[in-house]
Amino acid sequence: MQWWDKVFLGNTLLNWFIALGIIIGSWAVIRIGRSILLKRFKSFSAHTRTTIDDFIVQLAEGALVPALYLGALYAGVSYLTLSPKVDKLLHIAVMVVVTFIIIKTITSSLNYLINHALGHSREDLEKRKQVRGIIIIVNVVLWILALVFLINNLGYNITSVITGLGIGGVAIALASQNILGDLFNYFVIFFDKPFEVDDFIIVDDKMGSVEYIGVKSTRIRTLSGEQLICSNTNLVNSRIHNFKRMEKRRVQFNFGVVYNTPPHKIEKIPAMVKDIILSQKDTTFDRAHFSAFGQFSLTFEVVYFILSPDYNLYMDRQQAIYLAILNAFKKEGIQFALPTQTLLFSNGSGPFANGGVNSPQPEIKS
C-alpha cells in the first residue's frame, strides 16, 4: 500500500492532493488573468469618456472574480467524497454566496442604469437624491425575494410563511394606507414629473419653490419664508400651477382717458402703445384697442407677452411700459380719466320751481 493510498477523513491522500491542486491551480489562473486582463482593461477604461467600461470593471472585481474563486473552491471540494452532513453544509454555503453575488450584481446594475440615465447636471443631481428612496425600496424587495428563493431551494416549506406574510401584509396595508398612498404618489411624482425641485408652484392658496421631494412628503419654501410640508397624496390630488414650465407670460392691462380727448388723438393711442411695447427687450406685442365707452372714461385694452417666466423681469418691463405711456401721454396732452359726476342746477323757473315733486336736481361739475 503506497502512502498516497492512505485514507484520511474518508478520502485518500492522493484525492486530497488532487483537490488541493485543483483549487490552487484554478486560483493561480484566476489571479494571473485578473492581474493581466483585468488590469489592462481597467487602464483602458480610465482613458475613455464613457462610464460603462468603468462599471464593468467594478462589477468584475466585485462579483465575477469572487464567483470564479468560489467556483474553483467548489470544484476542488466536489472531487472529494464527503459525508451527507458536510455535503449539505457545503451546498447551503454555495447557495447563500451565489444568491448574494447575483442579487448584488442586479442591484448594482439597476443603480448604475438609473444614475446613468439621470445624468450629471445640477437638476439631475437633485433627481438622484429623489431616486434614492426608489432604489432603497427596490433593493429591499429584491433581497426579500432572494431570501424566499433561498429558503425554498434549501428544502423548507414556505407556503405557510408566505400565507402568514400575506395576511400580515393586508393588515399592515389597512393600518398604514395613508403612508402607502403617499409612497405610491411619490412614484407618480417621480415618473410623471408634474413638478421638480426648484420649480415655483401654486397649490390651492399656497405658493413657493419646491425644496425637497421625499417618500412621504414634499417641502415647499413659501414667499414669506416659512417651509410648507405637504403630503404627496395631497399634492397629486390638487390643481398645481407650475410657473417654471411657463415659456412666456401673457400680460393684459386697461386704462382710460377723458371723454373730451380729441378723436384724432384717440386714434393715435394704440399705435403709441404698440411702439412703446416693441421698444422693450424680451417682449412681444399682441394687440391694443379702444375697447369700451366706460362710465367715466374711454377705455383701452392692451395685451402683450413677456418672453420669459421670470417674475422680476415681468415687473421691470411692466414698470418701463407704464412710465413710457405716462411720458408719451403727457407729451401729447392726453389726460387719464378719473371718476367724475355731473349735477345739473335749475334757474328757478318752469314747472319744477318752488320745490315741486319733480323739480330738477342742481348741476355740479367735478
Side-chain angles (χ1 to χ4, degrees), residues 203-253:
V203 183
D204 298 332
D205 60 338
K206 304 297 181 182
M207 64 180 67
S209 297
V210 179
E211 281 192 339
Y212 175 77
I213 302 174
V215 176
K216 176 70 172 63
S217 62
T218 297
R219 300 167 194 173
I220 302 172
R221 182 68 61 180
T222 64
L223 293 178
S224 54
E226 75 272 14
Q227 189 180 69
L228 178 66
I229 302 175
C230 302
S231 67
N232 293 332
T233 301
N234 184 33
L235 286 176
V236 170
N237 293 333
S238 300
R239 289 184 174 90
I240 300 174
H241 299 264
N242 192 334
F243 283 88
K244 190 175 181 180
R245 307 284 175 86
M246 180 190 297
E247 296 180 358
K248 58 183 180 179
R249 185 185 295 268
R250 184 179 185 271
V251 184
Q252 175 183 332
F253 67 93

Side-chain angles (χ1 to χ4, degrees), residues 128-145:
R128 287 189 181 188
K129 294 179 181 179
Q130 301 172 29
V131 83
R132 288 174 184 172
I134 297 178
I135 293 176
I136 292 174
I137 294 172
V138 171
N139 287 344
V140 170
V141 172
L142 287 175
W143 283 109
I144 291 175
L145 293 176

Side-chain angles (χ1 to χ4, degrees), residues 5-287:
D5 292 329
K6 292 182 179 179
V7 178
F8 179 73
L9 295 178
N11 294 275
T12 62
L13 292 178
L14 180 60
N15 290 339
W16 282 104
F17 283 123
I18 293 174
L20 189 60
I22 293 173
I23 296 173
I24 295 175
S26 300
W27 282 4
V29 172
I30 295 171
R31 186 172 183 83
I32 293 172
R34 178 184 179 184
S35 301
I36 298 177
L37 298 178
L38 191 59
K39 188 176 181 179
R40 289 184 178 179
F41 188 74
K42 188 175 183 180
S43 177
F44 169 77
S45 64
H47 297 85
T48 59
R49 294 184 179 180
T50 61
T51 58
I52 183 65
D53 47 6
D54 298 323
F55 172 70
I56 293 174
V57 171
Q58 180 183 357
L59 195 62
E61 290 181 339
L64 180 60
V65 173
L68 292 176
Y69 278 118
L70 177 64
L73 178 63
Y74 183 75
V77 175
S78 298
Y79 186 80
L80 301 173
T81 302
L82 303 175
S83 63
K85 186 176 182 180
V86 174
D87 187 66
K88 185 177 181 180
L89 291 175
L90 179 63
H91 177 71
I92 293 174
V94 171
M95 287 290 298
V96 170
V97 175
V98 169
T99 303
F100 175 81
I101 292 175
I102 293 175
I103 298 300
K104 187 67 176 178
T105 302
I106 295 174
T107 54
S108 298
S109 301
L110 288 175
N111 191 13
Y112 168 77
L113 292 174
I114 293 175
N115 290 325
H116 179 71
L118 291 178
H120 301 281
S121 64
R122 181 178 179 274
E123 295 181 355
D124 294 330
L125 292 178
E126 295 294 338
K127 293 177 182 179
R128 287 189 181 188
K129 294 179 181 179
Q130 301 172 29
V131 83
R132 288 174 184 172
I134 297 178
I135 293 176
I136 292 174
I137 294 172
V138 171
N139 287 344
V140 170
V141 172
L142 287 175
W143 283 109
I144 291 175
L145 293 176
L147 182 61
V148 172
F149 171 80
L150 183 61
I151 294 174
N152 184 58
N153 280 271
L154 292 178
Y156 296 96
N157 187 6
I158 59 173
T159 304
S160 58
V161 176
I162 294 177
T163 303
L165 289 175
I167 297 174
V170 172
I172 294 174
L174 291 174
S176 57
Q177 54 183 338
N178 292 332
I179 297 176
L180 292 176
D182 289 331
L183 175 62
F184 286 116
N185 285 311
Y186 168 72
F187 288 105
V188 172
I189 293 173
F190 181 80
F191 290 107
D192 192 49
K193 294 182 177 59
F195 56 85
E196 299 176 1
V197 173
D198 293 335
D199 285 6
F200 186 86
I201 63 174
I202 296 179
V203 183
D204 298 332
D205 60 338
K206 304 297 181 182
M207 64 180 67
S209 297
V210 179
E211 281 192 339
Y212 175 77
I213 302 174
V215 176
K216 176 70 172 63
S217 62
T218 297
R219 300 167 194 173
I220 302 172
R221 182 68 61 180
T222 64
L223 293 178
S224 54
E226 75 272 14
Q227 189 180 69
L228 178 66
I229 302 175
C230 302
S231 67
N232 293 332
T233 301
N234 184 33
L235 286 176
V236 170
N237 293 333
S238 300
R239 289 184 174 90
I240 300 174
H241 299 264
N242 192 334
F243 283 88
K244 190 175 181 180
R245 307 284 175 86
M246 180 190 297
E247 296 180 358
K248 58 183 180 179
R249 185 185 295 268
R250 184 179 185 271
V251 184
Q252 175 183 332
F253 67 93
N254 301 318
F255 62 87
V257 298
V258 296
Y259 265 93
N260 59 2
T261 304
H264 70 279
K265 291 187 176 181
I266 295 293
E267 294 178 359
K268 293 171 59 177
I269 289 177
M272 293 169 56
V273 174
K274 179 180 179 180
D275 293 338
I276 291 172
I277 293 175
L278 292 177
S279 66
Q280 301 294 322
K281 294 181 179 180
D282 303 316
T283 59
T284 299
F285 177 79
D286 184 29
R287 59 185 176 84

